[in-house]
Amino acid sequence: MKLTKFLVDKATCPANKDQFFYRDKELKGFALRVTAKGIKSFIVETTIGNKVRRMTIGRYGKVTAEDARKEAKKILGKIAAGGDPVAEKKQARAKSVTLREVFEEYLKVRKNLKETTRLDYKRVMNEAFASWQNKPLLDITKDLVARRHSKLGETSHARANLAMRVLRALFNFAMTQYEDSHGRSLIVENPVKRLSQSRAWYRVERRQGFIKSHELAPWYEAVRKLENETLRDYLLLLVFSGLRRTEAATLKFEQIDFSQKTFTISNTKNHETHTLPLSDFLYGLLLSRKKIATTEYVFPSTGAGGYIVEPRKQMEKVIRHSGIQFIIHDLRRTFITIAEGLDISAYAVKRLANHKMNQDITSGYIIADVERLRKPMQQITDYLLRCMGIKEKIEIYDFNLSLQKIKSSL
């Protein structure tokens, strides 16, 4: 049977199949593929190196049956002469792949990336590499990398280093994804290595910021005035619990045991389940959110479903009204700094912060009992409340009070 316009027009895919092939009897290797959705494409199908290879010529409608036949003859001729058009096409595609395309493929493959990490990477691409989006990856040289890193460093050393770490990851990913016809990587070297070879990475000191005791009152007052109650309560939970931002943002009501006055975080940085006691303040805060909840998340997104992601605008309001500069992680550092200042045992501090315990003999005998953390957790809470000037109001978090009273205190 010869693939003619008449036959192609009549061709259908059987109801019990995802796709079906109509093979031309006159030109071996030339075929029509019809999918269950009715899409018709001309292909070349042959064996190269003991492997069945298929190469799409074009979709019917954009290419005629006769033109597809002519192209199939050319391809089959190359294969007969020892060539591999499928590999050559793949190689040509790999050579022209752009930074944007590599980044999109990277996000598809790295399914385990946290949403906050994805947002950070996207921000880097839009801010640091906006003019490189459509540049072929192979055109990004060591010199270009060095100059861009230096330029970005004029604004922020930390952001410049972060941008180059993201770029380095994309090149490492591309080295495993794009190969020539012999299976060799088309990306033979990562140009970001130049920064290590020339010792050009910026020295960025680890952030040590936290909200000092005398700053907590104006900070709390600015947070309390936020119109967005979800963001307000989110910031308060962070400073009163020491949780990392994603741990708090993704918190669900099913993770809170109101009867036992505890809550559990399973998706942690060290991959160890983290259970903490609820202080009186946290109990009241979370109970108030439970009573007005409309989703499974304690801190839902303003959009359709999901959880809160980036509270930058609300944080800017707090900074503007209080005059106190801070980032999200400073709230965790504030919690830990206060714990250490109250002479809470080092083991308890580590358990509260969910840091890895030192592998010494003594730590092996310590029982990780959440009840042993209840007293230090309440000590930290009481200290925060006193510094914020609301210690005298602590009785309003009595669990039997109404939701209205609980909310008014926040």
Side-chain angles (χ1 to χ4, degrees):
M1 149 178 79
K2 182 178 179 180
L3 291 177
T4 61
K5 181 180 183 305
F6 178 79
L7 188 147
V8 173
D9 287 336
K10 297 292 184 181
T12 59
C13 179
N16 62 337
K17 295 183 179 294
D18 294 328
Q19 61 180 2
F20 191 78
F21 295 91
Y22 293 85
R23 294 177 171 83
D24 193 277
K25 296 297 184 182
E26 292 187 5
L27 182 60
K28 187 177 180 181
F30 178 47
L32 173 73
R33 177 175 56 204
V34 184
T35 69
K37 293 183 178 181
I39 299 173
K40 304 176 182 181
S41 302
F42 295 106
I43 67 166
V44 167
E45 182 183 58
T46 189
T47 301
I48 304 175
N50 297 322
K51 291 183 178 180
V52 175
R53 298 290 190 95
R54 287 184 183 138
M55 184 174 179
T56 301
I57 297 172
R59 184 176 294 188
Y60 181 54
K62 293 185 177 180
V63 60
T64 65
E66 284 306 310
D67 287 341
R69 181 182 298 277
K70 292 176 183 178
E71 185 62 24
K73 287 180 180 179
K74 292 179 184 178
I75 295 171
L76 291 168
K78 287 182 180 180
I79 295 173
D84 188 345
V86 176
E88 290 171 6
K89 184 177 180 180
K90 183 179 179 181
Q91 182 173 329
R93 165 77 180 88
K95 285 183 176 180
S96 64
V97 69
T98 65
L99 179 61
R100 183 198 304 276
E101 291 169 326
V102 172
F103 179 61
E104 290 173 351
E105 188 64 25
Y106 177 82
L107 293 182
K108 289 180 183 177
V109 173
R110 294 292 304 277
K111 298 182 179 65
N112 61 332
L113 285 179
K114 292 184 177 180
E115 186 60 29
T116 51
T117 302
R118 288 175 176 269
L119 288 173
D120 284 341
Y121 284 6
K122 288 177 181 178
R123 187 177 297 115
V124 165
M125 291 296 290
N126 292 330
E127 293 176 359
F129 304 118
S131 61
W132 287 9
Q133 297 283 328
N134 297 318
K135 185 184 289 294
L137 202 67
L138 290 174
D139 288 352
I140 299 176
T141 64
K142 293 179 180 179
D143 288 339
L144 284 176
V145 166
R147 289 198 294 269
R148 181 56 59 93
H149 181 244
S150 179
K151 181 68 175 176
L152 292 171
E154 294 175 5
T155 303
S156 168
H157 289 182
R159 296 298 294 178
N161 282 354
L162 173 61
M164 290 305 154
R165 286 197 295 270
V166 172
L167 185 64
R168 180 175 60 189
L170 294 181
F171 266 95
N172 287 338
F173 169 75
M175 292 171 78
T176 66
Q177 294 291 111
Y178 305 104
E179 302 173 340
D180 63 16
S181 58
H182 301 289
R184 296 173 301 205
S185 177
L186 289 169
I187 315 294
V188 296
E189 188 175 19
N190 192 324
V192 183
K193 279 188 176 181
R194 164 71 66 83
L195 300 180
S196 296
Q197 294 165 346
S198 61
R199 297 184 179 181
W201 291 99
Y202 292 109
R203 182 181 178 85
V204 180
E205 297 295 334
R206 183 176 180 180
R207 293 188 68 108
Q208 297 295 329
F210 65 97
I211 301 176
K212 299 176 178 61
S213 297
H214 68 276
E215 297 175 328
L216 284 167
W219 180 85
Y220 170 76
E221 186 62 22
V223 171
R224 190 178 67 82
K225 290 180 179 178
L226 288 175
E227 294 181 2
N228 188 320
E229 294 184 359
T230 299
L231 270 298
R232 178 202 65 191
D233 292 347
Y234 172 68
L235 293 176
L236 290 175
L237 176 73
L238 286 169
V239 78
F240 276 91
S241 69
L243 292 180
R244 295 179 175 88
R245 62 176 182 175
T246 303
E247 294 170 349
T250 58
L251 184 66
K252 296 180 179 180
F253 286 106
E254 64 185 28
Q255 297 170 244
I256 305 170
D257 188 333
F258 285 102
S259 62
Q260 296 298 316
K261 301 172 189 173
T262 64
F263 65 106
T264 301
I265 307 297
S266 55
N267 185 22
T268 64
K269 185 177 181 179
N270 63 12
H271 307 294
E272 293 184 359
T273 300
H274 184 37
T275 299
L276 287 173
L278 290 172
S279 64
D280 293 353
F281 181 90
L282 288 178
Y283 182 96
L285 185 148
L286 295 175
L287 183 63
S288 69
R289 296 212 60 81
K290 173 68 173 178
K291 292 180 178 179
I292 61 173
T294 57
T295 76
E296 61 181 334
Y297 289 105
V298 177
F299 305 105
S301 167
T302 53
Y307 54 84
I308 185 176
V309 176
E310 193 59 62
R312 286 195 172 195
K313 291 183 179 179
Q314 301 299 321
M315 287 175 59
E316 288 171 1
K317 290 182 180 179
V318 175
I319 292 170
R320 187 166 61 252
H321 292 151
S322 68
I324 298 167
Q325 291 287 335
F326 75 100
I327 62 172
I328 284 291
H329 203 68
D330 287 345
L331 304 183
R332 175 173 168 82
R333 279 190 286 264
T334 299
F335 177 89
I336 295 172
T337 300
I338 289 173
E340 292 175 338
L342 293 173
D343 292 329
I344 292 171
S345 75
Y347 289 109
V349 173
K350 285 191 174 185
R351 285 280 295 121
L352 288 168
N354 198 27
H355 284 156
K356 284 280 189 180
M357 300 293 288
N358 294 329
Q359 296 304 307
D360 57 29
I361 296 175
T362 306
S363 67
Y365 284 97
I366 292 185
I367 300 173
D369 183 0
V370 67
E371 288 306 315
R372 297 185 64 179
L373 301 178
R374 193 171 296 282
K375 181 178 178 181
M377 178 65 103
Q378 190 62 49
Q379 281 181 272
I380 298 169
T381 291
D382 290 345
Y383 182 86
L384 282 166
L385 291 171
R386 285 195 297 271
C387 290
M388 292 175 179
I390 53 175
K391 174 61 180 175
E392 65 276 14
K393 300 178 184 178
I394 192 64
E395 68 273 13
I396 66 173
Y397 294 103
D398 186 313
F399 308 146
N400 297 319
L401 290 182
S402 66
L403 171 62
Q404 183 177 1
K405 246 184 176 179
I406 291 174
K407 290 185 66 178
S408 66
S409 69
L410 300 175

